[in-house]
Amino acid sequence: MLEAQPMALQHAPLLHELYVATPAYFETLGNAVPVPHEVTREVETALFDDRRRLELLLWDGRVIGCLDYKVSFPQASDLTINLLMIRGDCQAQGHGTRALAHLLGRVPPHISRVLASVLGDNPRAVRFWERQGFAFAIDARPAVTWYGRRVNQPVTTGAAS
């Protein structure tokens, strides 16, 4: 079963291990895998932002990914996923879909749209988000594109008789 554990500063080495095990993501961006002190700084920075959430994703107690998202950003009714990363050797096993479903089941009631950012030119990420019901939403190329999906919308059953 998938679990999401809030990240604390002492989890920075686990996040670094995840990054090292997923070099293809950083290659897509044209970046080197961050070194340990950069990851520690990244976690520290996130922890100072009241709207930002960092979570480790665990499967049978093993770290298989991470989730980085921000509540009420860019609009008060939005939740923006900055990063949903699944460890390289755990990809294509449904973990990303499970992680997203787990998050969507916890979206605060005031959120009506979930955005997912795709950094750089990443067609694999675009395909993932589109398979999850997200559609192109915001163009901020070349750095990022955002895909969006409505959530917490009332169900309409048509005209009353």
Side-chain angles (χ1 to χ4, degrees), residues 65-159:
C66 70
L67 183 59
D68 176 351
Y69 63 96
K70 199 165 189 172
V71 179
S72 300
F73 179 82
Q75 304 295 322
S77 60
D78 294 334
L79 181 149
T80 298
I81 300 169
N82 299 313
L83 179 64
L84 169 55
M85 175 185 281
I86 302 298
R87 186 182 163 96
D89 61 351
C90 296
Q91 292 178 4
Q93 298 174 28
H95 295 304
T97 298
R98 282 188 283 277
L100 178 61
H102 188 269
L103 175 63
L104 293 176
R106 302 179 284 136
V107 170
H110 75 279
I111 299 297
S112 62
R113 180 175 68 163
V114 174
L115 294 168
S117 62
V118 175
L119 297 178
D121 181 27
N122 191 341
R124 186 172 180 204
V126 169
R127 282 191 306 274
F128 171 80
W129 292 114
E130 288 177 341
R131 281 194 314 267
Q132 306 306 316
F134 285 68
F136 179 81
I138 302 170
D139 187 351
R141 283 181 264 207
V144 66
T145 51
W146 287 345
Y147 289 75
R149 174 177 164 179
R150 294 281 169 200
V151 294
N152 291 332
Q153 299 295 303
V155 175
T156 57
T157 58

